[in-house]
Amino acid sequence: MAIDASAAAEIPASRKRHRLRWKAFFSSDTLVSFLGFVLLACVWELAVYLFKIPDFILPAPSAIALSLYRGLASGVFVYNFLVTAFQTLVGFVIAAVIGTAIGAAVAQFSIIERVVYPWLVALQTLPKIALAPLIIIWAGYGISSKIIIVALAAIFPVLVNTIMGLKSCDQGKLDLMRSLGAGRWETFRTVRLPNALPFIFAGLNVAIVLAILGSIVGEFVGSKAGLGNLILEANFQFDVARIFAVLVILGVFGVFLSHLMRMAQRHFLFWNKALT
């Protein structure tokens, strides 16, 4: 039977691409991180078994996995995760919008910088955790108080980086725009804002982590639901495996949000190969 020459050449090429993909996978950082996690879990499990460490001090990874499965299967973790995720994302968006807007106003208008900026610096130095009880008293135990705490915790990295990015624009580009007769808005849109975007995304990357922290702190101070509330309940019951299970969910949530931020950065800063 005759064999098609092109098909015969395609088979080795396909096998070569298949081998290259597997080779890239086994040499990737993801695989190394996964193997490191598996090794750590095995050592942890073995240490708990050999030294007979009680569960209320340090539970084994298998106990944490079982607690995680039970919480997810019962729906308790899912409901409380949605509460924490909602208030985290809403607070983060508010912080991103307000922080960028105020930062742009401060960088563009010297009168606003002289009047507002000293107050912003003073507010930035205040520990946001210390403000949480006051916000709970004023806004109640519901989601609105957590959103305010998240926004306060996340706004300053965005604000400071926006100001820094807009002010660090090359003076030669600004002089060129001025010589071409460009107005303030056109100069801002075409020169200052693109220059500030890497700084703004750097601030957003820090802010998303602080947003999760602010959400959990708000739930610690006073809440009716959320992952922080679950941690408090598990702490009162000495259910350390449940605490670790909630921490696993928070870790996965943080990694997911960080990955989303990197995707957004690659999308909006496609022209900057060093950052993408």
Side-chain angles (χ1 to χ4, degrees):
M1 183 176 61
I3 299 176
D4 188 357
S6 61
E10 183 66 22
I11 293 174
S14 175
R15 289 179 178 172
K16 186 177 181 180
R17 287 195 297 270
H18 187 69
R19 289 173 183 171
L20 288 175
R21 282 198 295 269
W22 276 107
K23 185 177 179 180
F25 174 75
F26 280 109
S27 61
S28 65
D29 294 338
T30 303
L31 179 63
V32 173
S33 299
F34 176 74
L35 292 178
F37 171 77
V38 172
L39 178 62
L40 175 64
C42 292
V43 173
W44 183 349
E45 184 85 26
L46 188 62
V48 170
Y49 175 76
L50 291 177
F51 297 104
K52 302 184 185 306
I53 302 175
D55 282 347
F56 64 87
I57 294 179
L58 183 64
S62 58
I64 297 171
L66 181 60
S67 179
L68 180 62
Y69 170 75
R70 287 173 176 170
L72 291 174
S74 65
V76 174
F77 283 178
V78 176
Y79 169 72
N80 287 278
F81 166 74
L82 291 177
V83 172
T84 300
F86 176 77
Q87 62 200 22
T88 300
L89 293 176
V90 173
F92 171 74
V93 171
I94 292 173
V97 173
I98 295 178
T100 306
I102 296 177
V106 169
Q108 288 289 300
F109 302 100
S110 58
I111 182 66
I112 296 179
E113 182 178 9
R114 289 199 298 272
V115 174
V116 176
Y117 195 65
W119 292 99
L120 293 175
V121 173
L123 186 59
Q124 183 184 6
T125 58
L126 293 176
K128 310 305 175 297
I129 296 177
L131 296 176
L134 289 175
I135 296 171
I136 294 293
I137 292 173
W138 293 335
Y141 286 85
I143 288 180
S144 57
S145 59
K146 315 306 178 300
I147 292 175
I148 296 173
I149 295 171
V150 170
L152 279 176
I155 192 171
F156 286 102
V158 184
L159 174 64
V160 172
N161 279 273
T162 301
I163 295 172
M164 188 182 301
L166 291 173
K167 285 194 168 186
S168 65
C169 189
D170 181 48
Q171 189 61 40
K173 295 179 181 177
L174 299 177
D175 293 340
L176 176 61
M177 294 297 291
R178 191 176 298 111
S179 67
L180 294 174
R184 183 190 292 270
W185 167 246
E186 190 172 3
T187 303
F188 174 82
R189 183 174 58 84
T190 58
V191 177
R192 287 188 181 275
L193 185 59
N195 180 77
L197 278 179
F199 292 86
I200 295 174
F201 271 99
L204 292 174
N205 278 315
V206 177
I208 194 66
V209 178
L210 294 178
I212 299 175
L213 178 63
S215 184
I216 297 301
V217 166
E219 290 171 357
F220 278 173
V221 175
S223 63
K224 300 174 182 175
L227 294 178
N229 189 53
L230 278 186
I231 292 176
L232 285 181
E233 290 180 356
N235 186 45
F236 291 142
Q237 299 167 0
F238 292 97
D239 191 351
V240 181
R242 193 176 181 86
I243 295 175
F244 272 102
V246 175
L247 293 179
V248 169
I249 296 175
L250 284 172
V252 173
F253 184 46
V255 171
F256 174 72
L257 292 181
S258 179
H259 184 66
L260 281 184
M261 288 305 304
R262 286 200 299 272
M263 289 177 61
Q265 181 172 315
R266 282 195 294 268
H267 177 74
F268 288 103
L269 300 179
F270 60 91
W271 42 268
N272 193 331
K273 298 300 181 185
L275 295 175
T276 57

